[in-house]
Amino acid sequence: MKHRITFIPGDGVGPELSDAAKRCIEAAAAAAGVEIEWDVFDAGIDVIEKYGTPLPEHVLASIKKNKVAIKGPITTPIGTGIRSVNVELRRALELYACLRPCRLYKGVRTRYDKVDIVIVRENTEDLYAGVEFDPNTPDCKKVIENINSLSKKQIRLDSAISIKPISKFGTERVVRFAFEYALKNNRKKVTCVHKANIMKATDGLFLATAREVAERYAGKIAFEDRLVDNLCMQLVQRPEEYDMLVFPNLYGDIVSDLCAGLVGGLGVAPGANIGDDAAVFEATHGSAPKYKGMNKVNPTALILSGVLMLRHIGEDKAAERLENAVKRVISDGKYVTYDLKAERNDPTAVGTREMAEAIIKAL
Ligand code: NAD
């Protein structure tokens, strides 16, 4: 079968990782009799001069048409006022569920024996909604005065304000996504993570809504909840006790990196942003600018994002073939990048390109 997919190479280490991942995905697809055609488009700071925006309309239009995209990481410059392309993509396409499977592969350097956790993070609300007010501006003062007139708690007038909206609608759909994923992928338990003891309004609503959704799956998928601080300690001590985790946006972002650390680091942590009408697949890590152009970083995270993408478009055979090839190369331990070697400065570590070639050979 033929699929047309939008490809955004990204910046920093993005282009070299994208090249490696694209070749692996194409080879696995071809071996399984699947044809993929790419619509390749750039986004990020490098296209601002040409299009006046880091996320040109034609890139969004391509993803809307193809319904599936894969992207390399894109840098978000700090202190320039330029909004993150990654956050903007999720907002513009309503990609409300961020999916991050954290599975430990044999041969990866880690302190654990068994980790197989799937993270589902709400992607559009919470402190990432982008509703913010800089300190000492007229708008910020107005917001503070309004809040001070409505609340017994008083906010200092020289404060900056970031708003944390969490809705029943937004929570309902992301928790439903987690349970549906659990059903389809033979997972047994969903844990809702929150801080409802302190943020009774926002996290309280997230937990209450999750409990309501969980009732619809009673008898099929188990449900429990944890405070986020307690969960972090337990994940470090006993990660094998967790199956699927569902989070509001901010905790999900932070705990995703914690779980990536449990399974060998950002170099092996894939991800996907999924909505009702489109899905964008990308690694958990960023553009690692200090390694740009060095053919050094690990392509596994983006290749495994490609595995998630192949499953999403129904090409399970190609997905399994690619995942098994990645497993073989990692457990063999020879043609792997520096981060997968026992010593980070092991001179036998190979580059991005060479690891991808080994994966293609192992297909
Ligand atoms: P980062 O993930 O880019 O890098 C942090 C460190 O993790 C690197 O220095 C490196 O040691 C390690 N690392 C990351 N990817 C690796 C790989 N594939 N193989 C081996 N090691 C790897 O995080 P950062 O430095 O905080 O962010 C850099 C830029 O990326 C920022 O502009 C940030 O906004 C952006 N970012 C983009 C995305 C995205 O595109 N979805 C996600 C996160 C961060």
Side-chain angles (χ1 to χ4, degrees):
M1 176 154 177
K2 203 174 188 171
H3 300 273
R4 183 168 276 277
I5 291 166
T6 305
F7 204 113
I8 304 171
D11 55 33
V13 291
E16 51 206 284
L17 291 177
S18 293
D19 183 58
K22 196 150 146 261
R23 287 177 43 227
C24 290
I25 297 165
E26 277 169 3
V34 177
E35 205 182 322
I36 293 186
E37 278 183 7
W38 306 106
D39 288 331
V40 182
F41 292 112
D42 288 323
I45 33 173
D46 297 344
V47 306
I48 295 181
E49 208 175 280
K50 192 163 174 197
Y51 298 108
T53 164
L55 182 57
E57 198 45 51
H58 64 267
V59 181
L60 276 176
S62 169
I63 304 174
K64 282 180 186 160
K65 179 166 80 58
N66 293 333
K67 299 191 183 308
V68 182
I70 182 162
K71 67 173 276 290
I74 295 178
T75 305
T76 305
I78 296 173
T80 56
I82 297 171
R83 289 259 302 150
S84 158
V85 170
N86 310 303
V87 173
E88 200 46 33
L89 260 177
R90 293 166 202 164
R91 194 200 56 77
L93 298 166
E94 273 304 299
L95 307 174
Y96 58 82
C98 178
L99 179 71
R100 287 178 170 171
C102 297
R103 175 177 287 175
L104 189 56
Y105 292 107
K106 193 169 153 260
V108 166
R109 194 161 42 99
T110 167
R111 297 169 191 274
Y112 302 93
D113 299 325
K114 184 176 178 290
V115 184
D116 183 6
I117 295 170
V118 176
I119 287 177
V120 175
R121 158 188 168 199
E122 203 288 324
N123 238 353
T124 63
E125 304 197 317
D126 197 350
L127 284 160
Y128 285 50
V131 187
E132 301 201 281
F133 298 90
D134 285 328
N136 304 316
T137 57
D139 282 354
C140 192
K141 282 195 177 134
K142 232 187 271 175
V143 172
I144 294 173
E145 279 161 12
N146 267 324
I147 294 172
N148 284 349
S149 71
L150 292 168
S151 169
K152 283 192 198 109
K153 307 266 163 57
Q154 296 296 290
I155 297 173
R156 288 190 190 95
L157 285 176
D158 62 352
S159 302
I161 301 283
S162 298
I163 304 282
K164 170 173 166 143
I166 289 193
S167 70
K168 188 168 170 82
F169 173 84
T171 306
E172 224 260 352
R173 67 181 177 177
V174 78
V175 177
R176 198 173 353 104
F177 176 93
F179 275 95
E180 287 298 319
Y181 183 95
L183 277 182
K184 278 190 209 111
N185 293 276
N186 203 21
R187 315 290 303 203
K188 306 289 177 230
K189 182 176 72 174
V190 173
T191 305
C192 169
V193 188
H194 59 89
K195 189 78 184 164
N197 55 335
I198 304 296
M199 275 157 283
K200 296 182 199 300
T202 46
D203 287 25
L205 178 63
F206 192 84
L207 175 59
T209 308
R211 282 186 175 139
E212 275 173 36
V213 175
E215 270 175 29
R216 291 178 225 153
Y217 296 85
K220 293 186 199 136
I221 307 288
F223 177 77
E224 63 181 12
D225 73 280
R226 288 282 183 282
L227 293 171
V228 63
D229 38 358
N230 182 25
L231 174 90
C232 287
M233 184 204 64
Q234 293 195 5
L235 280 174
V236 171
Q237 287 194 321
R238 301 186 299 276
E240 67 282 357
E241 286 184 9
Y242 290 96
D243 186 348
M244 287 193 66
L245 305 172
V246 63
F247 294 91
N249 209 336
L250 176 65
Y251 312 141
D253 190 8
I254 297 166
V255 179
S256 291
D257 276 32
L258 188 158
C259 286
L262 300 179
V263 297
L266 286 170
V268 293
N273 299 294
I274 301 177
D276 292 331
D277 302 317
V280 177
F281 295 81
E282 63 176 344
T284 297
H285 64 73
S287 57
K290 69 178 176 192
Y291 294 125
K292 178 182 172 177
M294 291 169 70
N295 186 40
K296 182 171 170 82
V297 292
N298 191 343
T300 303
L302 194 54
I303 294 170
L304 290 176
S305 304
V307 170
L308 295 178
M309 183 190 78
L310 288 167
R311 289 218 171 92
H312 179 83
I313 59 174
E315 299 297 353
D316 289 342
K317 273 194 193 138
E320 205 172 319
R321 215 170 169 129
L322 185 51
E323 186 177 14
N324 285 338
V326 171
K327 273 187 203 165
R328 275 196 283 276
V329 169
I330 291 179
S331 77
D332 189 36
K334 198 167 169 201
Y335 295 102
V336 296
T337 45
Y338 73 100
D339 54 314
L340 292 177
K341 292 284 186 184
E343 296 289 327
R344 281 176 87 81
N345 45 11
D346 183 332
T348 69
V350 302
T352 309
R353 213 176 309 118
E354 292 70 26
M355 184 166 178
E357 269 156 25
I359 292 169
I360 292 170
K361 275 202 193 113
L363 279 168

